[in-house]
Amino acid sequence: MITVLRYGHRAVRDKRTTTHVGLVARTFGADRFIVVGSDSVPVNTVNNVTERWGGDFKAEKVKDWRSFLKNFKGIRIHLTMYGKPLSEVIEKLQTYKKEDVLIFIGAEKVPADVYETCEFNVAVGNQPHSEIAALAIFLDRFTGGKWEKKKFKDAKLVIKPQERGKKMESF
Ligand code: SAM
């Protein structure tokens, strides 16, 4: 099971970004999305998408993120531009594919103890960019592209891909 934890969500400023982190997590192979804090908006938006577009993905809030992180039974991976390059650690990380994996991503500055608690600090390039981009690339590499074959069961909306135009079935 892959869980993505979004640390540092700021209710007014980050609504859209945090929602996009959740949607990226859902599409690219994660199973669960945790938003730190009390803002229900991104959690409800992501769960509404799952309700319409299918699958078992769950979004939820957590207040005490530190205890969640400390007590997580599995491998904790912190995505940060200060970490080891993804290409150097991806083979090792893939040996944990069958275990519970927590992917920790920030918004603004991440407290120093996160770097100590997580088993891995991983950089998607050692340049500052975006948590959305970092998560998408990480999940693509970690799942070996298998997210593309993922089935979203009980979907009420299913796109019928075609060369031009928009075709969708509703159930
Ligand atoms: N200077 C900040 C820091 O402390 O890492 C960057 C904040 S950035 C706007 C928000 C989040 O995006 C970071 O906490 C990290 O999870 C992710 N991120 C940004 N650049 C990254 C990179 N090159 N590799 C991995 N994650 C990155």
Side-chain angles (χ1 to χ4, degrees):
M1 188 198 220
I2 303 177
T3 301
V4 173
L5 186 147
R6 159 66 149 167
Y7 167 83
H9 168 71
R10 295 154 292 189
V12 177
R13 189 174 154 177
D14 290 333
K15 250 184 227 338
R16 206 170 134 82
T17 310
T18 300
T19 300
H20 284 193
V21 170
L23 296 179
V24 161
R26 174 180 174 272
T27 298
F28 296 106
D31 305 282
R32 184 163 64 141
F33 180 46
I34 309 279
V35 180
V36 173
S38 56
D39 187 8
S40 301
V41 173
V43 167
N44 292 342
T45 306
V46 172
N47 284 334
N48 285 341
V49 168
T50 298
E51 175 64 27
R52 284 179 292 137
W53 292 87
D56 295 326
F57 192 78
K58 294 266 176 313
E60 52 199 277
K61 293 176 287 186
V62 149
K63 278 214 174 93
D64 187 354
W65 65 270
R66 212 174 238 118
S67 113
F68 184 91
L69 179 67
K70 286 230 156 73
N71 296 323
F72 184 83
K73 302 273 175 282
I75 298 299
R76 292 160 290 194
I77 302 169
H78 171 211
L79 297 186
T80 164
M81 63 182 181
Y82 301 105
K84 296 284 280 181
L86 178 60
S87 55
E88 284 181 23
V89 291
I90 189 65
E91 271 184 39
K92 173 88 181 150
L93 294 179
Q94 282 179 334
T95 64
Y96 298 108
K97 255 184 182 170
K98 299 228 154 69
E99 298 190 24
D100 283 337
V101 170
L102 177 68
I103 303 168
F104 187 106
I105 54 167
E108 47 188 349
K109 200 168 187 277
V110 169
D113 58 310
V114 172
Y115 291 76
E116 301 305 321
T117 306
C118 290
E119 279 74 23
F120 295 93
N121 293 293
V122 177
V124 182
N126 294 108
Q127 300 291 324
H129 51 85
S130 142
E131 50 273 45
I132 302 171
L135 181 64
I137 289 185
F138 179 84
L139 286 173
D140 182 50
R141 302 274 177 89
F142 186 67
T143 64
K146 291 217 171 75
W147 60 268
E148 220 174 343
K149 302 266 180 266
K150 187 173 163 175
K151 299 269 179 273
F152 291 88
K153 68 178 172 65
D154 299 328
K156 293 180 181 141
L157 298 172
V158 176
I159 287 172
K160 294 285 155 202
Q162 51 180 14
E163 220 158 78
R164 287 193 183 77
K166 299 196 261 181
K167 195 170 181 187
M168 191 156 65
E169 281 181 356
S170 7
F171 300 91

